[in-house]
């Protein structure tokens, strides 16, 4: 696995270097830049900010981030993973605050902007169901089921999988455990990557968030225009929509059985509570599938070995399989999630490439760029 490439075309005289956050966190005291009208130099060569030198602030940040991680793990074990949107927002914003402690006021302004954009993304997701109701959009039931039947030659994949592999709540097999772990990783992997990139490499965090926000925006638009009953609901499962459906044979929703089997029943209980008020018809596209592929594809640029890439792709493949088996999504939902990820990367790769070319042309012409695209 190779190291992340260095952007040689990035401007050096306008906005702060996107990787400043990474260098400040890792560089020895005394090597950090001093901003104009910024902190003064300490006797040892490091800068003094808010009454303490940068080395001390860096140590404080490491300790606070460690404490935050320990508290997160404790909460996970005792009460389950954080899944409701308000708690996710609070936990992520709190982490960003911890990672910014002891930094210049310019970093705090960027934090306010970044946190605001993050909040807007999740608010848009929460509001998607209400907007669909106000627009009177019908819930899709047979249409998505029929797409799956077309792909699988007349078979319903969820019905097929549960008929052959599901043995009841009292008989949990190894694939039930693996499926549960893969399914619930959706609530862990994307936010952990967001938080890690924010601390380690601000430039890559910006690249990640541009694509992430695009995927979420397209998905929310589709949730509004195409509210879709997932397989468990289409088979007659009790739901908050008040729908009584029979588009599929009776199905189970054994998503949490694997976690209960390994002693994480408290998490499943929290998830059961959270899913009761969630948008239950936000199924097309599948964000579980979208985010699983998103994380993998984002790190492809640093993985040159095709065998390793193929191994990484097992994650989204396992995700879509687990979702179908548990009755959470149709295969068509997963394909739609994969498609919007591909669209997001295609669009932003082109935009960023053109921005790099413009900057390179400006530098060759002797014109210093004023905006980092």
């Amino acid at each position: 696995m190779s190291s992340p490439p260095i952007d040689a075309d990035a401007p050096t005289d306008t906005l702060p270097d996107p990787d400043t956050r990474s260098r400040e966190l890792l560089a020895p005291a005394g090597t950090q830049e001093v901003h104009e009208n910024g902190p003064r130099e300490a006797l040892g060569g490091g800068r003094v900010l808010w009454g303490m030198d940068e080395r001390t602030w860096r140590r404080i940040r490491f300790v606070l981030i460690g404490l935050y991680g320990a508290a997160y793990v404790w909460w996970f074990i005792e009460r389950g993973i954080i899944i409701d949107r308000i708690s996710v927002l609070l936990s992520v914003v709190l982490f960003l605050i911890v990672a910014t402690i002891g930094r210049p006021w310019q970093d705090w302004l960027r934090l306010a902007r970044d946190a605001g954009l993050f909040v807007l993304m999740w608010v848009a997701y929460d509001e998607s169901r209400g907007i669909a109701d106000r627009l009177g959009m019908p819930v899709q039931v047979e249409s998505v089921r029929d797409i799956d039947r077309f792909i699988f030659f007349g078979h319903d994949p969820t019905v097929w999988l549960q008929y052959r592999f599901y043995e009841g709540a009292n008989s949990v097999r190894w694939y039930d455990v693996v499926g549960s772990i893969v399914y619930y990783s959706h609530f862990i992997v994307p936010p952990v990557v967001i938080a890690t990139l924010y601390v380690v490499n601000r430039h890559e965090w910006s690249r990640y968030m541009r694509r992430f926000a695009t995927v979420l925006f397209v998905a929310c638009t589709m949730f509004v225009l195409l509210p879709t009953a997932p397989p468990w609901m289409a088979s007659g499962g009790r739901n908050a929509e008040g729908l009584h459906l029979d588009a599929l044979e009776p199905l189970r929703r054994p998503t949490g059985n694997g976690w209960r089997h390994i002693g994480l029943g408290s998490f499943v209980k929290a998830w059961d509570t959270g899913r009761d008020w969630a948008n239950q018809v936000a199924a097309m596209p599948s964000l579980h599938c979208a985010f699983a592929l998103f994380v993998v594809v984002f790190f492809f640029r640093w993985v040159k070995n095709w065998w390793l890439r193929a191994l990484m792709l097992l994650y989204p493949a396992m995700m879509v399989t687990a979702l179908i088996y548990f009755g959470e999504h149709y295969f068509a939902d997963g394909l739609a999630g994969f498609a919007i990820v591909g669209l997001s990367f295609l669009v932003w790769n082109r935009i960023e490439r053109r921005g790099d070319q413009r900057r390179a042309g400006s530098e060759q012409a002797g014109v210093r760029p004023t905006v980092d695209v």
Side-chain angles (χ1 to χ4, degrees), residues 48-94:
V48 174
L49 183 63
W50 313 117
M52 287 189 288
D53 64 272
E54 174 60 23
R55 176 179 294 178
T56 302
W57 279 121
R58 189 165 60 249
R59 290 172 177 170
I60 291 173
R61 284 195 295 272
F62 273 125
V63 170
L64 291 177
I65 290 173
L67 291 174
Y68 179 95
Y72 193 93
V73 172
W74 173 85
W75 187 281
F76 170 80
I77 294 173
E78 293 295 322
R79 303 191 180 185
I81 197 66
I82 300 171
I83 59 173
D84 67 274
R85 236 64 61 188
I86 300 300
S87 297
V88 169
L89 288 175
L90 291 176
S91 62
V92 171
V93 171
L94 177 60

Side-chain angles (χ1 to χ4, degrees), residues 158-313:
T158 298
V159 175
W160 190 91
L161 285 172
Q162 289 201 6
Y163 178 78
R164 284 163 177 77
F165 294 100
Y166 181 64
E167 298 182 0
N170 296 323
S171 179
V172 178
R173 306 301 296 270
W174 64 268
Y175 47 80
D176 294 302
V177 176
V178 172
S180 290
I181 292 173
V182 171
Y183 176 87
Y184 289 116
S185 70
H186 167 78
F187 303 105
I188 302 173
V189 175
V192 166
V193 174
I194 289 173
T196 302
L197 288 177
Y198 194 85
V199 173
V200 174
N201 193 318
R202 181 64 181 277
H203 175 61
E204 293 302 324
W205 181 87
S206 298
R207 293 184 65 254
Y208 187 97
M209 292 305 295
R210 284 194 288 264
R211 290 159 176 77
F212 189 86
T214 302
V215 169
L216 198 56
F217 173 78
V218 174
C220 288
T221 302
M222 294 180 68
F223 294 157
V224 170
L225 300 178
L226 292 171
T228 302
W232 64 265
M233 184 185 295
S235 68
R238 187 178 62 183
N239 58 83
E241 305 296 322
L243 299 176
H244 302 282
L245 306 173
D246 58 356
L248 292 173
E249 295 180 26
L251 295 172
R252 299 293 183 180
R253 196 181 183 186
T255 313
N257 287 356
W259 278 60
R260 292 189 185 94
H261 184 71
I262 60 177
L264 294 174
S266 59
F267 170 61
V268 178
K269 182 178 179 181
W271 176 73
D272 286 339
T273 301
R275 74 180 183 181
D276 287 340
W277 52 259
N279 184 353
Q280 295 185 335
V281 291
M284 169 64 79
S286 165
L287 283 180
H288 275 72
C289 289
F291 291 168
L293 181 64
F294 183 97
V295 172
V296 168
V297 173
F298 183 82
F299 290 104
F300 263 6
R301 64 199 300 246
W302 299 308
V303 180
K304 304 304 181 183
N305 187 294
W306 284 98
W307 286 106
L308 287 179
R309 287 188 172 189
L311 189 63
M312 293 168 66
L313 285 173

